[in-house]
Amino acid sequence: MSGRRKCIQIPKNVDVTLEGNIIEIIGPVGLLNRTIPNSVLVSVDNDVIKIGPKDKKSKKSKSLTGLMSKEIFNSIQAVVKKIEYCLELRGVGYRAQVKENVLELFLGYSHPNSIKIIPQIEVSVEGNTKILIKGIEKAKIGLLASQIRYLRPPEPYKGKGIFYKGENIILKPGKSGKK
């Protein structure tokens, strides 16, 4: 794929319409709208979306072209199948629960941490230690996952904290005393 010209295939069960500088993507899971910057050219032909810069010499135009192609590609994937993030809580007494639209996290502090869940995102807890975040807006899901992880990032000495699914850290040795 060229750095200046991006082509994205549209799946059969997805409808894409372009009106002015707004692209609308409709799929079996939902609907997403993206606003296209003025320095990016987008065209929809049959089952292909073509994206390119307006000014081929402008660095900003080229970088926005790459960004928009990735956002449109992610939007198409999201309306076909919801995007999912999984977080694991590791530590003695670490647990989570969902009450109405609030995620409560017990992370070894003297008080529970509460995070409000926006309506477009589904959050569920499995077995008190796995948090599943689902939705169709990848940026919002990733932001929520990073906010949760920020409360107790992985700690390299005891291996405690909030981890993404499948993430492992190399444990550091502690103090070894005087020799």
Side-chain angles (χ1 to χ4, degrees):
M1 197 180 290
S2 170
R4 294 194 180 111
R5 186 120 234 23
K6 311 281 183 185
C7 296
I8 301 171
Q9 291 284 68
I10 302 172
K12 300 248 187 261
N13 55 353
V14 176
D15 293 327
V16 177
T17 57
L18 181 65
E19 293 179 16
N21 66 339
I22 295 176
I23 189 165
E24 185 176 75
I25 303 164
I26 304 168
V29 176
L31 163 96
L32 285 174
N33 292 323
R34 294 279 176 245
T35 304
I36 312 241
N38 292 333
S39 58
V40 178
L41 292 172
V42 176
S43 64
V44 179
D45 299 323
N46 297 332
D47 58 345
V48 175
I49 301 172
K50 292 184 180 178
I51 304 168
K54 264 190 183 170
D55 181 14
K56 295 185 180 181
K57 294 180 182 177
S58 168
K59 185 175 181 180
K60 183 178 180 182
S61 183
K62 288 182 197 177
S63 62
L64 282 174
T65 300
L67 173 70
M68 286 312 300
S69 81
K70 195 65 178 169
E71 279 193 10
I72 291 171
F73 179 77
N74 286 340
S75 298
I76 289 172
Q77 297 300 316
V79 296
V80 171
K81 183 182 177 192
K82 287 188 178 181
I83 301 204
E84 182 178 306
Y85 276 70
C86 183
L87 299 171
E88 298 174 350
L89 305 178
R90 294 184 197 161
V92 176
Y94 288 15
R95 59 190 167 89
Q97 63 185 15
V98 177
K99 288 185 177 177
E100 296 172 13
N101 61 345
V102 176
L103 175 66
E104 284 190 346
L105 298 160
F106 300 90
L107 302 171
Y109 296 117
S110 62
H111 60 282
N113 296 51
S114 300
I115 295 178
K116 189 173 180 181
I117 303 165
I118 60 174
Q120 299 93 355
I121 298 176
E122 301 169 19
V123 177
S124 62
V125 177
E126 293 179 359
N128 289 337
T129 59
K130 284 190 178 182
I131 303 169
L132 290 172
I133 307 168
K134 291 182 184 180
I136 61 172
E137 296 226 23
K138 188 171 186 173
K140 289 181 181 178
I141 296 166
L143 180 65
L144 180 63
S146 68
Q147 287 173 346
I148 293 169
R149 185 182 160 99
Y150 178 77
L151 296 173
R152 198 56 107 162
E155 193 259 327
Y157 294 100
K158 293 183 181 177
K160 297 170 27 172
I162 301 173
F163 293 78
Y164 288 112
K165 184 179 180 180
E167 178 183 20
N168 288 319
I169 59 169
I170 298 171
L171 295 179
K172 294 181 179 180
K175 292 183 180 179
S176 57
K178 293 184 179 180
K179 293 184 179 180

